[in-house]
Amino acid sequence: MTQINLSIEILNYGLQLSMEFGQNWLKPINERLATKFPDLKIQQLEECNVLCKKVHQIAHRFIVENPIHSDTGIEFIDFYQFRQFMYKKYSWLSSANLQRLYSQSCYYAYK
């Protein structure tokens, strides 16, 4: 999958949609993304949906696979290291989405 046809704005908006809680939690973003960007083709909508799922998986896996052991138990890797790791893979991530990804990843790793 290539990201060439998707702008940074579209990718970040798609990721934002993919992190919604409530009735849209873990649902495909295609229709909601098409509402804001009606000129996107079906293939582009699906590419964004798949990429956002992949970003989630990589973020969650990184948090789970990199615990910090301390006297008080297991803690999460700090945000700075998470940010460095994610930006190497996805330089288009907005600060807000990156922070939310970190928070959600820590939340689910804790469960």
Side-chain angles (χ1 to χ4, degrees):
M1 175 187 321
T2 62
Q3 298 174 25
I4 296 171
N5 295 329
L6 301 173
S7 71
I8 289 173
E9 178 187 10
I10 292 168
L11 292 170
N12 274 295
Y13 188 72
L15 188 59
Q16 179 184 336
L17 292 175
S18 74
M19 290 189 282
E20 286 182 355
F21 282 113
Q23 68 182 6
N24 291 321
W25 178 239
L26 297 177
K27 290 188 179 178
I29 61 170
N30 306 35
E31 288 181 24
R32 291 175 286 146
L33 190 61
T35 300
K36 179 157 178 140
F37 300 101
D39 294 335
L40 289 177
K41 297 177 179 146
I42 291 172
Q43 179 182 354
Q44 291 173 306
L45 294 167
E46 184 57 22
E47 283 177 358
C48 191
N49 184 58
V50 169
L51 178 61
C52 290
K53 286 180 182 180
K54 184 176 181 179
V55 170
H56 280 265
Q57 291 169 347
I58 288 171
H60 297 334
R61 190 176 318 123
F62 182 75
I63 294 294
V64 169
E65 293 177 355
N66 292 284
I68 307 289
H69 299 279
S70 71
D71 293 339
T72 59
I74 296 177
E75 299 172 10
F76 300 114
I77 196 163
D78 72 28
F79 179 72
Y80 176 77
Q81 290 174 300
F82 177 79
R83 182 179 66 195
Q84 283 186 308
F85 173 80
M86 292 303 292
Y87 275 155
K88 283 182 187 175
K89 294 186 171 295
Y90 305 107
S91 61
W92 51 265
L93 288 168
S94 70
S95 296
N97 277 344
L98 192 62
Q99 182 63 53
R100 193 161 180 199
L101 259 179
Y102 178 76
S103 296
Q104 283 189 4
S105 297
C106 290
Y107 175 80
Y108 285 104
Y110 183 73
K111 288 196 136 231

